[in-house]
Amino acid sequence: MGDNSALGEQPISKLLPKFAVPCVLGLLVGALYNIADQIFIGNSSLGYLGNAATGISFPIICLVNAVCWCVGDGATSYLSICSGRQDSESAHKCVGTGISTTLIISICITILSLIFCKPLMLMFGASDQTLQLSQDYFRIIAIFFPVYTLSNMMNGVIRADGSPNFAMAATLSGAILNIILDPICIFVLDWGIKGAAIATVIGQTVSFAVSVAYFRKPKSFTLRKESFKIDKIMLKNLISLGGSTFIIQVSMVVMTILSNITLAKYGALSVYGSDIPISVFSIQTKVYTIVNNIVVGVALGGQPIWGYNYGAHKMDRVREAYRYVLFSAMVIGIVSTAFIELWPEILINIFGKQSDLYMTFAVESFRIFLSLSVATCFIKISSIFFQSIGKPVQAMVASVIRDLFCFVIFTISLSRIFEASKPGSGIYGILFASPLSDLTAGIAILILTIIFFKKLKSETKEETEPAAISETRPGMVVTIARQHGSCGKAIGELLAEKLNVPFYSKELTALVAYESGMADEFFSEENEDKSGILRQLYLSTKAAQQGIFAQEKVIRKIADQGACVIVGRAADYVLRHYNNVVRVFIYAPNDLRIENIQKMYGDSHEEARQNMQRADESRASYYRSISGQEWSDMSNYDICIDSSVGKEACADIIANYISGKEKLSLSAADL
């Protein structure tokens, strides 16, 4: 298994720091970028009103991230796939389409933001005192949205191109410059909140310029003028691959917008007014971003260890690695929570000393809102853990349940309950919504985790003879895509026997799991046939893309050996550049398919119909996510056969087609 074997052999205590430390450092640089403005603004004459003004624009920045990171993360994932395929043609189209799309979207958002600046600021909680400040800050930030979004997008591409250190340098250079310029622009030049915005956009511009410099000589692609023409099929792929990022960012947008609106509404009815709560929440969010990024970095460090050992059936090492990551996350969560509960004033004063009224609310807010942050740490590592081992439902539930569901429900309901019970206390509803969301989501995910580990075999599976690619002869590679219940797999087996060549279906699952060291759940037919939104979103995660990439690599490796039959796995698309491939699609009338499913699985007529529909939808969705094309489009295939003529007849038709094609190739060679 190459260099990856260390993941299954070295002590977890040595492996985890090796992978986790770079992740933590990278995420902390991003957090540093976000927190610098808040510190200097809070310590200036602007005080908490300045921090409130920056907090008001935060939801729009999150929205920009959601839209543009969807494309950017998609481009990053697709470039990784292209690199593995050595597909430089698709690589440059992927990057160019990503850049052009990001630029167009960001320009549109900039224009809309500048036109509707005032109503947007009012909508997200600006008061008479903070309206002008928020507009002054946001207008400057909005003008540079194209620079900001392109910088982030290109940074991801640079990492995917195999240059993580350069990507880190680009981000770090902007962050350091921002920190240096903040006090100069705010205090020395006395530009106030405009100075904070100017320092931020200058830092972003430098990061952008450093990233652009990289594109003069990237490793795996070369940009040309035609690269920047938006390819619709490519764009479809990028959006599909960025789907999970989009959902996670949207959950943050929803939570942030709801928080600002609730704080403005109920804060205005309290003794604190609306500005103090929004200001406190702004710095509170940034403070906890540091804790959150450390925990996420540790979990990302555990991701390759979990995935490899789960795939290798070394369940004891999966448990051990999980315990290490969980213990680390809990220690980080407990220590940070204890510090916040005991000495919140220290953290609050970093952002400037304010009035007694401000401090009263800030202390209460920090202590209540962040009281169960240790549960948030558990939720974060759970999402990454389930991604790593190929569990789509658990992974996506863990990613969004806290922010998108629990927090929204509890914030709306508790704020109304508090206000109804005591006028002026509605503001406390959102404070208690956070720990209650942490507790509820934490319990739900704990149950999922316990169920998973109970089902997990405690013993380590004995070493068995590894899966291997069968020897074969030169000849045609047959790929078979099939409707569920059309007997496509059985036809493939018959064909392989007739041609005396290797047959790959379940065998492919074992090969990919062995070669990649990833869990076979990524590649099994059972997982492939699961339909639904959660699975589609899961296909866009980095862990799932890693699995798909490993699968494609093995399919090409099999095809390189010579003649064989491969069923499913979008093999026809994976091998689209091979000249010796015969692409077959097997279909049948629905009544016959339902009858076949009933015989195979013992389903009732209705169960068989539903299973048929679900499996076809899932296969179509999977194929679309891989290729951007329609699975059932018969123009994608060389032969499309109605299997109602019989399995033997179908196998004979394909065999005769292959024989004719081979004779034609020999005749052409003689000429």
Side-chain angles (χ1 to χ4, degrees):
M1 287 185 234
D3 295 335
N4 283 342
S5 60
L7 293 168
E9 298 169 0
Q10 287 188 7
I12 303 295
S13 58
K14 292 183 179 179
L15 278 174
L16 186 59
K18 176 182 176 181
F19 287 101
V21 170
C23 293
V24 171
L25 291 176
L27 290 169
L28 284 179
V29 169
L32 191 66
Y33 224 136
N34 290 328
I35 206 169
D37 280 358
Q38 306 284 157
I39 293 174
F40 290 111
I41 288 172
N43 282 282
S44 72
S45 59
L46 297 168
Y48 74 87
L49 291 176
N51 277 333
T54 60
I56 289 162
S57 63
F58 188 62
I60 307 173
I61 296 172
C62 289
L63 183 60
V64 172
N65 288 338
V67 175
C68 294
W69 285 5
C70 176
V71 177
D73 268 26
T76 300
S77 297
Y78 199 86
L79 179 61
S80 297
I81 294 170
C82 291
S83 298
R85 294 173 177 165
Q86 296 183 335
D87 185 357
S88 58
E89 183 65 22
S90 295
H92 84 84
K93 286 183 181 179
C94 152
V95 176
T97 295
I99 290 174
S100 297
T101 304
T102 300
L103 180 61
I104 291 170
I105 293 174
S106 59
I107 289 174
C108 290
I109 294 176
T110 293
I111 293 170
L112 291 173
S113 297
L114 294 175
I115 292 173
F116 300 105
C117 181
K118 184 175 181 179
L120 284 171
M121 297 300 98
L122 290 171
M123 181 189 300
F124 296 135
S127 66
D128 292 340
Q129 289 181 290
T130 59
L131 179 58
Q132 189 58 52
L133 288 173
S134 61
Q135 289 183 90
D136 289 344
Y137 181 82
F138 180 66
R139 283 196 177 103
I140 296 171
I141 297 295
I143 289 171
F144 283 81
F145 276 160
V147 170
Y148 170 67
T149 55
L150 283 173
S151 178
N152 282 331
M153 183 266 168
M154 290 191 295
N155 199 264
V157 168
I158 293 169
R159 287 197 304 272
D161 196 44
S163 302
N165 291 334
F166 194 100
M168 172 75 76
T171 302
L172 194 59
S173 60
I176 292 173
L177 186 60
N178 182 33
I179 293 171
I180 294 171
L181 291 178
D182 261 330
I184 295 173
C185 293
I186 295 172
F187 300 110
V188 178
L189 300 176
D190 196 26
W191 289 346
I193 200 164
K194 290 182 180 180
I198 291 169
T200 297
V201 298
I202 290 175
Q204 291 170 355
T205 303
V206 169
S207 293
F208 170 74
V210 174
S211 298
V212 168
Y214 178 86
F215 283 77
R216 295 175 61 187
K217 199 173 182 181
K219 295 179 179 178
S220 61
F221 60 92
T222 301
L223 290 177
R224 306 186 285 270
K225 284 184 179 180
E226 57 267 28
S227 304
F228 298 98
K229 182 180 179 180
I230 295 178
D231 185 304
K232 291 182 180 179
I233 293 177
M234 182 65 70
L235 179 58
K236 204 173 184 180
N237 281 330
L238 301 191
I239 293 173
S240 176
L241 291 173
S244 62
T245 301
F246 180 75
I247 292 298
I248 292 169
Q249 286 295 318
V250 164
S251 69
M252 184 179 294
V253 171
V254 171
M255 187 180 77
T256 307
I257 289 175
L258 178 64
S259 296
N260 277 17
I261 291 174
T262 304
L263 291 167
K265 176 181 177 181
Y266 291 102
L269 301 175
S270 71
V271 296
Y272 304 110
S274 60
D275 294 328
I276 287 177
I278 290 177
S279 175
V280 169
F281 265 65
S282 178
I283 66 170
Q284 187 172 266
T285 301
K286 302 295 173 62
V287 166
Y288 197 71
T289 296
I290 297 176
V291 179
N292 179 71
N293 284 5
I294 295 173
V295 171
V296 169
V298 172
L300 288 175
Q303 189 174 54
I305 304 171
W306 286 325
Y308 181 92
N309 287 285
Y310 190 79
H313 295 279
K314 296 184 177 182
M315 302 310 176
D316 288 344
R317 286 180 64 81
V318 174
R319 290 176 180 275
E320 184 184 0
Y322 182 82
R323 285 195 295 267
Y324 268 97
V325 173
L326 179 63
F327 176 78
S328 301
M330 292 302 97
V331 168
I332 294 166
I334 290 170
V335 170
S336 61
T337 301
F339 190 92
I340 289 168
E341 294 299 318
L342 294 173
W343 304 290
E345 296 90 347
I346 295 176
L347 294 172
I348 296 165
N349 285 331
I350 291 174
F351 297 87
K353 293 183 178 180
Q354 311 296 339
S355 66
D356 291 341
L357 188 64
Y358 176 94
M359 285 300 296
T360 299
F361 180 79
V363 168
E364 283 187 315
S365 181
F366 269 67
R367 282 177 172 163
I368 297 172
F369 196 85
L370 302 177
S371 59
L372 285 181
S373 296
V374 66
T376 307
C377 297
F378 169 67
I379 293 168
K380 293 294 182 184
I381 69 163
S382 297
S383 174
I384 295 170
F385 172 70
F386 285 123
Q387 282 186 37
S388 304
I389 59 171
K391 299 296 180 182
V393 174
Q394 293 94 322
M396 293 311 301
V397 167
S399 294
V400 301
I401 187 173
R402 195 268 181 195
D403 295 342
L404 200 56
F405 294 103
C406 294
F407 187 78
V408 170
I409 293 170
F410 288 133
T411 295
I412 294 172
S413 57
L414 289 180
S415 295
R416 290 177 178 176
I417 291 171
F418 271 89
E419 189 65 27
S421 62
K422 183 180 178 181
S425 65
I427 193 72
Y428 288 95
I430 190 172
L431 300 188
F432 284 99
S434 176
L436 194 55
S437 298
D438 290 331
L439 180 63
T440 306
I443 290 173
I445 295 168
L446 178 62
I447 292 171
L448 290 177
T449 305
I450 291 172
I451 292 172
F452 168 77
F453 276 110
K454 279 188 175 181
K455 289 182 178 179
L456 189 68
K457 293 180 180 179
S458 59
E459 72 277 3
T460 300
K461 187 176 180 180
E462 292 184 8
E463 291 292 329
T464 58
E465 188 68 25
I469 296 174
S470 302
E471 291 186 7
T472 186
R473 57 176 171 76
M476 292 293 177
V477 175
V478 182
T479 65
I480 297 180
R482 78 281 187 215
Q483 290 181 330
H484 188 46
S486 66
C487 296
K489 183 178 175 183
I491 292 168
E493 288 181 290
L494 280 173
L495 178 64
E497 288 178 13
K498 287 178 180 292
L499 300 176
N500 192 27
V501 298
F503 172 77
Y504 297 97
S505 181
K506 286 185 178 179
E507 299 82 358
L508 182 60
T509 299
L511 276 167
V512 179
Y514 176 77
E515 290 286 338
S516 67
M518 297 181 68
D520 53 13
E521 276 82 352
F522 280 102
F523 320 107
S524 69
E525 281 189 335
E526 180 184 353
N527 201 21
E528 181 184 284
D529 287 345
K530 289 179 181 175
S531 60
I533 295 174
L534 285 178
R535 171 163 169 75
Q536 183 59 34
L537 289 173
Y538 176 70
L539 286 174
S540 70
T541 63
K542 288 180 173 59
Q545 287 304 311
Q546 183 183 355
I548 291 169
F549 168 69
Q551 181 171 270
E552 292 185 356
K553 185 178 180 181
V554 171
I555 289 172
R556 287 191 294 273
K557 192 172 181 180
I558 289 170
D560 288 339
Q561 299 303 306
C564 63
V565 177
I566 305 174
V567 174
R569 309 316 197 273
D572 59 284
Y573 179 78
V574 175
L575 302 176
R576 65 194 181 282
H577 297 306
Y578 284 60
N579 295 322
N580 64 327
V581 175
V582 174
R583 298 164 180 83
V584 180
F585 186 80
I586 306 293
Y587 64 98
N590 287 349
D591 289 344
L592 178 60
R593 293 167 61 200
I594 290 171
E595 183 181 332
N596 289 337
I597 293 169
Q598 286 180 283
K599 289 177 182 178
M600 284 187 289
Y601 303 106
D603 291 347
S604 67
H605 185 278
E606 180 58 24
E607 288 172 338
R609 186 193 65 78
Q610 291 178 358
N611 288 340
M612 177 186 73
Q613 184 177 358
R614 181 172 61 250
D616 284 354
E617 287 176 353
S618 179
R619 290 176 186 181
S621 175
Y622 178 82
Y623 192 87
R624 194 180 303 114
S625 71
I626 299 297
S627 67
Q629 300 174 5
E630 291 304 318
W631 168 70
S632 59
D633 183 354
M634 295 192 178
S635 66
N636 292 330
Y637 306 96
D638 300 306
I639 311 176
C640 298
I641 306 175
D642 182 346
S643 63
S644 62
V645 300
K647 290 180 282 189
E648 285 280 355
C650 288
D652 287 338
I653 291 170
I654 301 170
N656 289 334
Y657 179 88
I658 291 170
S659 177
K661 192 163 186 175
E662 287 177 336
K663 288 178 181 177
L664 187 63
S665 297
L666 288 173
S667 299
D670 291 339
L671 292 175

